[in-house]
C-alpha cells in the first residue's frame, strides 16, 4: 500500500486526472464529429450510423482484450 499523499502530491494527482479526462473528452468529440460528418474511409454506401455503431463495437472489443491481458 502507498502512504497517503500530501498536499502537493494530491494536487498533482488530481491535475493529471482532470487533464486525462479533458483529453479523452476532446478525442471523443473529434472522433464523433468526424464520424457524423462522414469524414471516414468507410465505403460510400455505408451510412454514418453504421460507422458509429462499428466504432463503439470495436472499441468495446479492444477494451475487453485489454482487460483479459491484465487478467491473465
Amino acid at each position: 500500500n502507498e502512504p497517503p499523499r500530501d498536499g502537493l502530491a494530491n494536487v498533482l494527482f488530481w491535475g493529471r486526472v482532470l487533464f486525462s479526462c479533458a483529453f479523452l473528452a476532446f478525442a471523443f468529440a473529434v472522433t464523433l464529429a468526424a464520424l457524423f460528418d462522414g469524414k471516414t474511409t468507410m465505403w460510400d454506401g455505408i451510412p454514418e450510423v453504421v460507422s458509429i455503431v462499428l466504432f463503439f463495437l470495436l472499441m468495446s472489443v479492444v477494451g475487453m482484450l485489454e482487460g483479459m491481458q491484465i487478467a491473465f
Side-chain angles (χ1 to χ4, degrees):
N1 289 338
E2 294 181 9
R5 292 185 293 271
D6 60 351
L8 180 62
N10 205 19
V11 168
L12 291 175
F13 171 77
W14 286 109
R16 285 193 312 259
V17 169
L18 289 175
F19 177 76
S20 296
C21 288
F23 196 78
L24 178 65
F26 174 74
F28 188 68
V30 168
T31 302
L32 284 180
L35 286 172
F36 278 122
D37 289 342
K39 297 178 181 176
T40 64
T41 57
M42 187 65 83
W43 296 291
D44 291 332
I46 306 294
E48 287 83 15
V49 175
V50 175
S51 298
I52 294 167
V53 170
L54 282 174
F55 170 72
F56 283 111
L57 180 73
L58 292 174
M59 290 304 289
S60 298
V61 170
V62 169
M64 286 185 281
L65 289 173
E66 285 291 326
M68 285 190 290
Q69 177 183 358
I70 293 170
F72 296 119

